[in-house]
Amino acid sequence: MPGLLRGVARTAVVAGTATAVSNRVSRRQAGRWARQEPAPAEQYAPPPPPPPAAAPAPADDMSSKIAQLKELGELKEQGVLTEAEFAAQKSKILGS
């Protein structure tokens, strides 16, 4: 039993020392960052605006609508969608 107690005590000392060192390093770094001068706002340029999005080709748009309508039809056949839900989603797809 004394050997086990010695091992547990050694582990506790090592863990306590590691925690103390870690906390000291963290406090030191926080102090250094607090003392640093913040950079002036003029040094940071705003990011350039994103390029305008290209309009999708009409054929691709129609293909995606057809695919969505087919998927809705399959969901309706499986009983996942009611007739009202199917009609609402269909008008939403065709209206956009």
Side-chain angles (χ1 to χ4, degrees):
M1 192 69 153
L4 179 63
L5 187 58
R6 184 179 301 136
V8 170
R10 182 180 299 147
T11 301
V13 168
V14 169
T17 304
T19 302
V21 170
S22 174
N23 289 340
R24 182 175 172 210
V25 169
S26 294
R27 282 192 304 270
R28 185 182 299 162
Q29 285 178 344
R32 285 181 184 166
W33 293 336
R35 285 191 306 261
Q36 287 181 351
E37 262 186 54
E42 297 87 35
Q43 288 182 349
Y44 298 108
D60 290 338
D61 188 42
M62 186 56 71
S63 298
S64 68
K65 286 183 180 182
I66 291 172
Q68 289 175 346
L69 288 173
K70 285 182 181 179
E71 186 177 337
L72 276 177
E74 291 171 3
L75 290 173
K76 181 183 164 206
E77 287 176 10
Q78 295 172 0
V80 176
L81 293 177
T82 64
E83 184 67 36
E85 292 171 331
F86 174 77
Q89 291 298 322
K90 178 180 165 186
S91 64
K92 191 177 191 181
I93 291 171
L94 293 176
S96 60

